[in-house]
Amino acid sequence: MSSDVLVIGAGLSGLVAATEACDAGATVTVVDQESEADLGGQAYWSFGGLFLIDSPEQRRMGVHDSLDLARRDWWGSAQFEDHDRNPRLWADAYLEFAAGPKREWLHRMGVRFFPIVGWAERGDGRAHGHGNSVPRFHITWGTGPGVLAPFVARAKDHIRAGRMRVHFRHRVTDLVVEAGRVTGASGAVLSDDGTARGVASSREVVGDFSLRADAVIVTSGGIGANHDMVRAQWPERLGRPPAHMLTGVPAFVDGSMMPVARAAGAELLNPDRMWHYVEGIGNWDPVWPGHGIRILPGPSSLWIDALGRRLPDPAFPGFDTMSTLRHLRCTGHDHSWFILNRRIIEKEFALSGSEQNPDLTGKSVRQLAGRLGSGAPEPIEAFLRHGEDFVQADSVAELVARMNAVSASGSELVDGGSSTAVLDAEDIAELIAERDAQVDNPFAKDRQIQAIHAARGYLGDRIMRAVPPHRLTDPEAGPLIAVRLRVLTRKTLGGLHTDLQGRVLGSGAVIEGLFAAGEAAGFGGGGMHGHNALEGTFLGGCLFSGRVAGRAAAGLDG
């Protein structure tokens, strides 16, 4: 069976590449190892955040952004190295896209955005360093499913018109190379076991397949569910890899296409660059093995390590993911803690994921209005009731006792066989007292309290994300709450080395007939983020690289 273009992977970047290629006149075949229930891949489970520059939403919130400022932020965060020529080119092209046609392209397909722009990765405190100088995190109305919807609809239109075929439960194990050109793929047909979306599926082989195409686009590349591969690629600069991690992606995100592509001669660039969150909590109602959820925190929670030491600047909630990960990986323990109170959790806690935000995912204005009222959103309340990582108490001594009980029950979380971390209630009480002494007036030497004041200078944070500075032990703000946090696997930042047309490179030359997009390509070039991400750029990178690769594979540049 032959087509003009073969797309491996039916996630967001694969759907974008396939529909763009069909729009350009190509016939397209899409294969995916999962069933139709998992159409859209990881993107379905996402919060739907997209990075935009100088958008109408930003301007309405009083945010003044520009391509020049975004480029400075990106370069300060990426810390590109000498070998990153193509990643730099992709980063620059993506920034032009985010400042130019991206929003209008999506808007024409019906994508809309929540009016309050989020401020993710606020940075390391240096003008030339990591972080977003302004809010740029645009939440899609409909979250991840809302991002996927227009591409799923377009794909179905092309299927009905006979321009696209989709083969589910087809796992690629080899790329076919003839005379130095990739001309197709072969692999195993897996049994259709009827599993629901996100649930780990059977790997029982019931047949084989072979498909030919003029161009092959690899869009399956994440490794987050393969903890052995994550540890194997973990860089020394981030300290020791965790002995135990939570999994932020479904089991099918297993990295299986990377060795397949490399066997065909593809170069894998920057495999040691990765993006894992430090605010992971165990999902009390899991879908896949080890299922974790990320807390999207406001700036007020007190963050301590497993031994009760306060994390240093810039390791504040929501500021600098990678420096915080690096710091915590040097503590000798696999967990840390947020200490907060009821007032903070009601306004400042959000959970990443479409299923954890039914108001935004369901496009319910009525439900969304509840976020502005009293009480925490129901998904947060559910974690308070059922989550293994949450404890509440009316006093610091009682809170610390319950924190120690959680640590003892999870003693396997300690690195290297060392003893379970035990917190001292008097030490924690003094740490809280030191912090609370800084909130009685608008002046403070505490950098985190200064950061809270700065956050409230932004209208969006003042409305939805940052409570006024107050004492954690204020009885009217209670009870006290502690949340155990663990590393949550998520993204690889490196990937298959591609040029600006999405063509895969090997030994410095283009491998004819082979393209890559999405996480498989490091979101473009083999790592357009460099060493850090500004958030909203993973879905955006899938959109952009899928669009480029799909058009190029169909013979339509740009």
Side-chain angles (χ1 to χ4, degrees):
M1 187 179 297
S2 180
S3 57
D4 296 328
V5 177
L6 172 62
V7 177
I8 302 172
L12 177 59
S13 59
L15 288 172
V16 174
T19 53
E20 290 291 308
C22 279
D23 286 352
T27 58
V28 175
T29 300
V30 180
V31 296
D32 195 282
Q33 69 178 357
E34 299 306 313
S35 69
E36 188 173 359
D38 280 301
L39 183 64
Q42 298 179 62
Y44 177 89
W45 299 97
S46 75
F47 195 34
L50 291 172
F51 179 95
L52 296 172
I53 301 167
D54 192 26
S55 69
E57 290 79 14
Q58 286 176 297
R59 294 192 292 271
R60 282 193 289 267
M61 295 300 297
V63 174
H64 302 285
D65 199 7
S66 68
L67 178 57
D68 177 68
L69 181 61
R71 185 178 283 116
R72 289 178 182 275
D73 286 348
W74 194 289
W75 255 246
S77 296
Q79 301 166 31
F80 286 123
E81 299 177 39
D82 289 345
H83 68 271
D84 287 322
R85 178 181 178 276
N86 278 315
R88 290 173 193 263
L89 293 174
W90 270 91
D92 215 32
Y94 175 72
L95 289 167
E96 295 276 358
F97 178 64
K102 180 180 178 181
R103 185 184 182 279
E104 177 57 28
W105 178 59
L106 292 171
H107 201 269
R108 287 199 307 269
M109 290 185 279
V111 175
R112 299 293 184 268
F113 299 102
F114 184 59
I116 296 178
V117 182
W119 197 349
E121 289 297 301
R122 299 171 191 236
D124 62 11
R126 301 175 301 154
H128 63 284
H130 168 63
N132 285 295
S133 297
V134 297
R136 297 191 178 104
F137 191 78
H138 295 67
I139 301 169
T140 302
W141 190 231
T143 65
V147 177
L148 282 166
F151 301 101
V152 171
R154 287 170 60 190
K156 290 181 177 179
D157 286 344
H158 287 304
I159 291 170
R160 284 190 290 267
R163 292 183 291 269
M164 184 186 298
R165 295 187 297 264
V166 182
H167 300 296
F168 295 106
R169 303 298 284 158
H170 280 52
R171 181 184 179 95
V172 172
T173 57
D174 293 282
L175 294 176
V176 179
V177 183
E178 298 173 335
R181 181 183 182 90
V182 173
T183 58
S186 61
V189 179
L190 305 178
S191 65
D192 190 356
D193 58 4
T195 54
R197 183 185 288 274
V199 175
S201 62
S202 168
R203 290 295 177 260
E204 179 189 5
V205 175
V206 296
D208 54 32
F209 73 91
S210 181
L211 297 167
R212 297 185 64 84
D214 296 332
V216 176
I217 309 176
V218 175
T219 66
S220 172
I223 69 172
N226 188 336
H227 289 192
D228 290 339
M229 189 175 287
V230 170
R231 293 189 186 95
Q233 296 181 190
W234 192 278
E236 289 186 10
R237 65 180 177 275
L238 291 181
R240 179 188 297 179
H244 298 273
M245 296 178 280
L246 296 170
T247 306
V249 292
F252 58 73
V253 187
D254 58 8
S256 60
M257 271 307 299
M258 292 299 96
V260 173
R262 294 183 73 181
E267 179 185 5
L268 183 62
L269 201 63
N270 302 314
D272 65 338
R273 296 180 188 174
M274 51 188 67
W275 188 259
H276 305 305
Y277 293 111
V278 284
E279 310 99 336
I281 53 175
N283 191 346
W284 65 272
D285 187 19
V287 177
W288 53 80
H291 190 170
I293 298 294
R294 185 203 175 193
I295 294 171
L296 302 172
S300 299
S301 296
L302 180 67
W303 204 340
I304 63 172
D305 67 18
L307 299 176
R309 299 169 295 197
R310 190 176 181 185
L311 270 58
D313 182 9
F316 304 142
F319 274 68
D320 190 339
T321 293
M322 293 309 292
S323 74
T324 306
L325 176 63
R326 184 166 52 248
H327 174 84
L328 288 172
R329 293 314 312 139
C330 295
T331 66
H333 295 268
D334 281 358
H335 71 283
S336 61
W337 292 94
F338 278 162
I339 297 177
L340 58 152
N341 56 37
R342 181 76 192 191
R343 183 181 297 168
I344 293 172
I345 206 169
E346 287 183 355
K347 186 166 186 175
E348 294 199 5
F349 265 38
L351 301 173
S352 183
S354 56
E355 83 284 11
Q356 300 297 331
N357 295 275
D359 49 358
L360 290 164
T361 302
K363 302 181 181 180
S364 171
V365 175
R366 181 186 61 80
Q367 282 185 288
L368 188 62
R371 294 198 184 213
L372 301 178
S374 60
E378 175 52 31
I380 299 290
E381 294 286 3
F383 272 91
L384 283 168
R385 292 192 300 268
H386 306 297
E388 63 182 356
D389 300 303
F390 288 72
V391 296
Q392 302 181 67
D394 291 323
S395 69
V396 174
E398 184 183 6
L399 186 76
V400 171
R402 294 180 179 178
M403 294 165 72
N404 283 331
V406 169
S407 294
S409 68
S411 58
E412 74 280 2
L413 299 176
V414 181
D415 285 346
S418 59
S419 60
T420 300
V422 177
L423 300 170
D424 183 275
E426 291 186 0
D427 290 345
I428 300 302
E430 179 58 25
L431 202 63
I432 293 173
E434 290 173 351
R435 181 260 187 207
D436 283 359
Q438 294 287 306
V439 304
D440 288 340
N441 59 67
F443 310 103
K445 66 180 181 181
D446 186 282
R447 292 293 298 276
Q448 185 176 2
I449 302 302
Q450 293 174 358
I452 297 169
H453 285 299
R456 287 183 55 80
Y458 168 50
L459 178 60
D461 280 345
R462 195 161 65 249
I463 293 172
M464 295 196 70
R465 295 291 287 154
V467 298
H470 65 281
R471 292 175 178 263
L472 292 177
T473 53
D474 181 350
E476 295 184 0
L480 289 165
I481 299 169
V483 185
R484 181 182 59 174
L485 309 172
R486 290 170 276 174
V487 173
L488 177 74
T489 62
R490 188 58 62 88
K491 296 295 182 187
T492 49
L493 298 184
L496 299 177
H497 192 185
T498 60
D499 66 9
L500 268 180
Q501 291 180 286
R503 299 181 300 180
V504 175
L505 305 176
S507 301
V510 170
I511 300 176
E512 294 297 333
L514 185 60
F515 298 76
E519 193 170 356
F523 304 96
M528 74 169 188
H529 293 93
H531 285 277
N532 286 291
L534 293 176
E535 291 288 24
T537 56
F538 300 135
L539 291 179
C542 287
L543 293 169
F544 182 56
S545 61
R547 173 173 141 135
V548 169
R551 293 179 175 192
L556 179 66
D557 293 341

